[in-house]
């Protein structure tokens, strides 16, 4: 896009085809919003008061130094975000491990794509959301979308599904009849938390009807027999009893995918945000492998990212177990390489720390961090079991938040640091297809506002780091990132700002300055040493918290067209809040009636962790056993007051997408 003042115009770029969604059209209003933070603030006597940058940074460093001296390096933690640029994510991870010497660093991408990343790495040896250009989807005859609603969350994306839709090959798996499901030729509406069983049923139908791509399975994969020993037990009729999806529809989908010339299987948050999310994504990957899709031009498996830099944000070291270039922090060779770039002893780098929710849960406890830096996240609204997380923040000795606006988390902080927005800074982002893009500064930031890089640089020097070890210039940071990523899975070493300014389409890995990039990642081989993809045996176990007599309904959460993430920014845009001003709960009219509720009433949705107050919206297409809540709202409307922090054992992803609840109103409970 281009920006003139606060006016935004979309450019004709391959991914969006010249289109923007409502959030894009209105994003410019935040650039001059009176809600912008423009002055650092320090909490004094229980109130936040304006302060100078020198005073704020000196205050932070004095408190951090004292906490580290008393409790050790791991008493200070860092929490990042998937919307940060690559440069910010990289420098934040370096800041944690070098300037603070702490292992306690993670980010909100753990709440977004960690299950897909774990499943992709397990199956393919590499995690890249889409291992092919997004525009390849436009040539598909069939596309299966599992747990994705791009018609609301990424409207420009939908244009790439036009051919599949016209060919009656668009298949949507979602418990709700979403706007995306309305576009589909086939809508499968499984009970929440049963996607894995559904994928097994479709795979079973594929095998039983002789539709498996056997030549592909034999030459490009391993592990089919072990996988089949489990999938063989999930025939479509059994799956129908678990999911509610008709056996005939499962067989119809298997046949439709197998008969397509070009087909894709795509997953998103609805499939991943479960305590068994890694295995669930793995089940859809198994289906794609049996169809012979991954690694072929014109077909494939992919995952749709959920944040502005959802792909790049997880590649360069702000994750608890990761170093730049998508390297494991417990790999001695990786530690030696990155330490060499940073100019430190590999032995001085800490090991893996706590994952995002485990980190938040430990704040202020006996063995947990006593101080927390938050960059680019609003955990008071976005974390599961949100009231508990707010309590943990309140138990800290120091909370520092860098943000654009006074988010709910910023309002809890001891120090608030005002930072630049997207149009006011330079840096790179990596798209869901692995393409690295340069975001150029369009306007000057307001006086008194600094970039996150300047904040980290200033703090690091005050903490005793040599001048220049933490540069504040984005291009200088990126040059260092290139060196740190060299030889890693996500190798950026051949990417330069000059190449990006020329708009070269550079998809990682790009291992040398003359390398053209890798738009299609698996054409010749997969990322495992033998070059083959892995079928992984996975089995359905269901939600961590099934409904019962006390909590007979299941709540699912998600996004709406007008808002984004925790809503801290979109709730400040009048054009968006006029359409969706407050929290609501979608419910089937019969379910509402049983609770004594009608359209427009205030309802309470209660789980074992808390209660949400929301306005009733009666939606006849809803399952009678399900309610839906958007998670963009603060206060008593926080959907994450009720969500379950049960964690996936592999990815450590919380189970945002389903929990047992009751619905109550003036007529009692249902």
């Amino acid at each position: 896009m281009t920006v003139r003042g606060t006016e935004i115009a979309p450019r004709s770029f391959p991914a969006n085809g010249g289109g923007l969604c409502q959030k894009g059209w209105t994003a410019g209003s935040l650039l001059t919003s009176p809600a912008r933070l423009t002055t650092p603030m320090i909490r004094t006597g229980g109130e936040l008061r304006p302060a100078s940058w020198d005073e704020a940074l000196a205050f932070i460093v004095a408190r951090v130094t004292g906490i580290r001296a008393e409790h050790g390096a791991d008493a200070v933690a860092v929490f990042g975000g998937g919307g940060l640029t690559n440069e910010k994510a990289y420098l934040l991870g370096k800041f944690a491990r070098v300037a603070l010497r702490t292992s306690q660093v993670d980010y909100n991408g753990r709440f977004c794509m960690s299950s897909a990343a774990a499943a992709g790495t397990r199956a393919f040896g590499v995690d890249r959301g889409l291992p092919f250009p997004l525009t390849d989807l436009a040539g598909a005859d069939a596309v299966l979308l599992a747990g994705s609603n791009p018609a609301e969350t990424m409207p420009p994306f939908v244009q790439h599904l036009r051919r599949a839709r016209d060919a009656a090959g668009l298949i949507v798996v979602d418990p709700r009849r979403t706007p995306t499901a309305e576009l589909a030729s086939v809508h499968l509406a499984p009970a929440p938390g049963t996607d894995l069983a559904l994928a097994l049923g479709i795979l079973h139908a594929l095998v039983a009807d002789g539709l498996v791509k056997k030549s592909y399975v034999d030459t490009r994969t391993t592990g089919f027999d072990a996988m089949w020993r489990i999938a063989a037990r999930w025939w479509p009729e059994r799956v129908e009893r678990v999911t509610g999806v008709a056996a005939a529809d499962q067989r119809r989908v298997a046949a439709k995918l197998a008969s397509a010339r070009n087909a894709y299987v795509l997953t998103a948050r609805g499939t991943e945000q479960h305590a068994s999310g890694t295995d669930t994504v793995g089940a859809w990957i198994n289906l794609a492998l049996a169809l012979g899709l991954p690694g072929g031009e014109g077909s494939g498996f992919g995952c749709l990212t959920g944040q502005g830099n959802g792909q790049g944000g997880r590649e360069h070291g702000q994750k608890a177990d990761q170093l730049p270039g998508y390297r494991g922090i417990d790999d001695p060779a990786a530690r030696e390489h990155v330490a060499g770039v940073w100019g430190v002893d590999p032995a001085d780098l800490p090991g893996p720390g706590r994952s995002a929710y485990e980190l938040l849960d430990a704040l202020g406890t006996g063995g947990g961090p006593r101080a927390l830096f938050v960059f680019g996240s609003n955990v008071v609204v976005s974390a599961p079991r949100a009231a508990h997380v707010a309590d943990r923040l309140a138990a800290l000795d120091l909370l520092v938040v860098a943000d654009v606006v006074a988010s709910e988390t910023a309002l809890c902080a001891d120090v608030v640091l005002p930072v630049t927005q997207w149009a006011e800074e330079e840096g790179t982002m990596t798209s869901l297809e692995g393409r690295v893009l340069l975001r150029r500064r369009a306007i000057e930031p307001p006086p008194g506002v600094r970039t996150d890089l300047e904040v980290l640089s200033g703090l690091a020097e005050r903490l005793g780091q040599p001048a220049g070890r933490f540069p504040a210039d984005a291009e200088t940071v990126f040059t260092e990132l290139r060196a740190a990523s060299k030889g890693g899975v996500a190798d950026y070493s051949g990417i330069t700002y000059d190449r990006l300014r020329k708009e070269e389409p550079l998809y990682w890995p790009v291992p040398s300055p003359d390398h053209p990039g890798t738009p299609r990642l698996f054409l010749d081989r997969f990322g495992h040493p033998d070059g083959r993809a892995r079928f992984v045996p996975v089995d359905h176990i269901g939600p961590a918290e099934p409904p019962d007599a006390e909590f007979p309904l299941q709540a699912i959460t998600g996004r709406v067209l007008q808002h984004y993430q925790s809503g801290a920014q979109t709730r400040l845009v009048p054009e968006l809040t006029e359409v969706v001003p407050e929290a609501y709960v979608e419910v089937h009219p019969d379910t509402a009636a049983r609770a004594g509720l009608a359209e427009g009433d205030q309802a309470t949705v209660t789980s074992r962790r808390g209660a949400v107050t929301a306005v009733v919206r009666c939606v006849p297409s809803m399952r009678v056993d399900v309610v839906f809540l958007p998670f963009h709202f603060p206060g008593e409307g926080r959907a994450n007051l009720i969500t379950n922090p049960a964690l996936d054992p592999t990815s450590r992803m919380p189970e945002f997408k389903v929990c047992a609840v009751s619905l109550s109103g003036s007529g009692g409970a249902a």
Side-chain angles (χ1 to χ4, degrees):
M1 59 179 66
T2 56
V3 182
R4 297 179 184 88
T6 61
E7 296 295 316
I8 291 174
R11 296 174 55 208
S12 184
F13 191 76
N16 68 319
L20 289 176
C21 69
Q22 292 183 26
K23 295 180 284 290
W25 297 331
T26 57
S29 65
L30 281 171
L31 298 171
T32 56
S33 170
R36 276 296 299 276
L37 295 173
T38 57
T39 304
M41 292 185 286
I42 297 175
R43 189 171 299 278
T44 304
E47 300 292 329
L48 286 168
R49 63 167 178 82
S52 70
W53 274 99
D54 282 342
E55 183 186 6
L57 296 182
F59 179 89
I60 293 167
V61 169
R63 295 288 294 274
V64 165
T65 302
I67 290 167
R68 292 173 69 199
E70 183 175 355
H71 301 285
D74 277 355
V76 182
V78 176
F79 198 94
L84 302 180
T85 63
N86 293 321
E87 292 81 0
K88 294 179 189 178
Y90 169 82
L91 207 67
L92 191 65
K94 180 182 176 182
F95 175 78
R97 295 179 175 106
V98 175
L100 296 176
R101 300 281 292 275
T102 182
S103 67
Q104 302 300 294
V105 53
D106 212 83
Y107 81 124
N108 65 16
R110 183 79 72 168
F111 297 159
C112 182
M113 287 199 62
S114 56
S115 291
T121 301
R122 195 165 67 178
F124 306 126
V126 176
D127 160 46
R128 199 174 87 186
L130 298 185
F132 50 81
L134 178 63
T135 49
D136 282 4
L137 293 171
D141 305 302
V143 176
L144 185 149
L145 288 170
S148 180
N149 181 22
E152 288 195 276
T153 60
M154 294 192 293
F157 170 89
V158 176
Q159 64 189 291
H160 301 293
L161 306 176
R162 187 175 297 122
R163 177 170 173 174
R165 182 186 178 193
D166 292 345
L170 182 57
I171 304 154
V172 172
V173 178
D174 199 307
R176 298 169 61 223
R177 185 76 177 173
T178 64
T180 306
E182 291 284 355
L183 301 174
S185 305
V186 180
H187 172 214
L188 308 181
T194 65
D195 290 32
L196 200 161
L198 179 59
L200 290 171
I202 298 171
L203 177 59
H204 190 289
L206 202 72
V207 176
D209 293 342
L211 300 175
V212 171
K213 193 75 171 287
K214 191 171 186 309
S215 61
Y216 173 95
V217 170
D218 290 344
T219 59
R220 299 211 60 187
T221 74
T222 64
F224 179 87
D225 290 343
M227 178 278 299
W228 176 242
R229 279 194 286 273
I230 294 175
R233 303 197 297 265
W234 288 94
W235 55 94
E237 286 75 15
R238 181 190 178 195
V239 170
E240 180 176 345
R241 292 194 295 271
V242 172
T243 66
V245 175
D249 285 340
Q250 297 172 50
R251 293 188 172 96
R252 180 157 62 112
V253 167
K256 190 177 288 287
L257 290 170
S259 63
R261 178 178 299 177
N262 297 308
Y264 292 87
V265 174
L266 305 175
T267 64
R269 306 300 80 72
T271 291
E272 300 152 20
Q273 290 179 323
H274 296 273
S276 57
T278 301
D279 284 354
T280 303
V281 177
W284 292 112
I285 291 175
N286 287 342
L287 175 63
L289 290 173
L291 288 160
L293 305 182
E297 190 164 352
S299 295
F301 171 86
C303 174
L304 305 181
T305 53
Q307 298 191 69
N309 196 27
Q311 182 66 51
R314 67 180 184 270
E315 295 171 357
H316 299 298
Q318 64 172 332
K319 192 162 169 274
D321 55 357
Q322 213 171 78
L323 288 173
Y326 227 137
R327 290 180 161 95
I329 198 168
D330 52 2
D331 177 355
R335 293 171 65 85
E336 183 175 1
H337 173 81
V338 174
V341 173
W342 289 349
V344 300
D345 187 330
D348 290 341
L349 295 179
R354 294 177 173 93
S355 71
Y357 180 76
E358 291 166 308
L359 174 58
L360 296 173
D361 187 42
L363 296 175
T365 63
R370 308 296 310 175
L372 178 68
F373 290 87
V374 179
F375 285 77
S377 191
N378 186 16
V379 294
V380 169
V381 176
S382 64
R385 199 182 171 197
H388 173 71
V389 169
D391 289 342
R392 299 275 33 93
L393 293 177
L396 289 168
D397 296 332
L398 176 67
L399 175 61
V400 179
V401 175
D403 211 330
V404 172
V405 297
S407 70
E408 286 70 25
T409 304
L411 292 175
C412 297
D414 298 294
V415 184
V416 181
L417 303 175
V419 292
T420 49
Q421 288 193 68
W422 54 277
E424 301 162 351
E425 60 185 10
E426 192 168 58
T428 61
M429 315 283 278
T430 303
S431 72
L432 75 168
E433 55 190 348
R435 178 174 174 172
V436 182
L437 307 166
L438 179 60
R439 189 172 70 183
R440 309 185 201 192
R441 175 180 285 188
I443 60 174
E444 291 296 317
V449 172
R450 296 187 180 182
T451 69
D452 297 83
L453 298 180
E454 290 170 334
V455 171
L456 293 170
S457 178
L459 286 170
E461 287 196 23
R462 284 171 172 81
L463 287 165
Q465 291 297 307
R469 177 170 280 176
F470 286 83
D473 173 70
E475 187 168 2
T476 304
V477 175
F478 188 78
T479 299
E480 185 180 305
L481 180 159
R482 291 171 55 207
S485 74
K486 186 174 179 60
V489 173
D491 189 335
Y492 283 35
S493 61
I495 304 173
T496 65
Y497 267 39
D498 284 343
R499 296 185 74 182
L500 295 176
R501 290 186 184 107
K502 296 173 184 174
E503 298 194 3
E504 291 187 44
L506 298 175
Y507 302 78
W508 68 256
V510 188
S512 65
D514 58 354
H515 192 282
T518 314
R520 296 175 183 85
L521 201 53
F522 302 131
L523 291 181
D524 300 318
R525 55 182 287 115
F526 293 99
H528 292 296
D530 62 2
R532 291 174 176 246
R534 307 281 193 262
F535 282 97
V536 177
V538 294
D539 205 352
H540 169 72
I541 57 173
E545 185 180 68
D548 57 21
E550 184 179 2
F551 300 102
L553 303 174
Q554 290 180 294
I556 57 177
T557 65
R559 305 178 187 179
V560 300
L561 176 63
Q562 289 77 18
H563 290 292
Y564 179 70
Q565 300 297 77
S566 72
Q569 296 184 35
T570 54
R571 285 186 271 110
L572 297 173
V573 178
E575 296 95 326
L576 302 179
T577 53
E578 286 172 9
V579 181
V580 184
E582 59 188 344
Y584 63 86
V585 55
E586 290 185 359
V587 58
H588 190 279
D590 292 347
T591 307
R594 283 198 298 271
L597 294 163
E599 179 79 17
D601 288 349
Q602 285 283 335
T604 300
V605 183
T606 306
S607 78
R608 289 176 174 84
R609 289 153 297 280
V612 176
T613 302
V615 175
V616 171
R617 289 190 181 183
C618 290
V619 180
S621 63
M622 287 289 290
R623 293 176 58 108
V624 295
D625 57 349
V626 171
V627 301
F628 168 79
L629 292 153
F631 61 81
H632 312 292
F633 299 96
E636 294 182 353
R638 280 177 290 171
N640 282 314
L641 290 169
I642 64 172
T643 48
N644 190 352
L647 302 180
D648 182 290
T650 302
S651 68
R652 316 309 289 168
M653 165 78 83
E655 186 152 88
F656 286 102
K657 275 293 181 275
V658 57
C659 65
V661 299
S662 64
L663 179 70
S664 61
S666 58

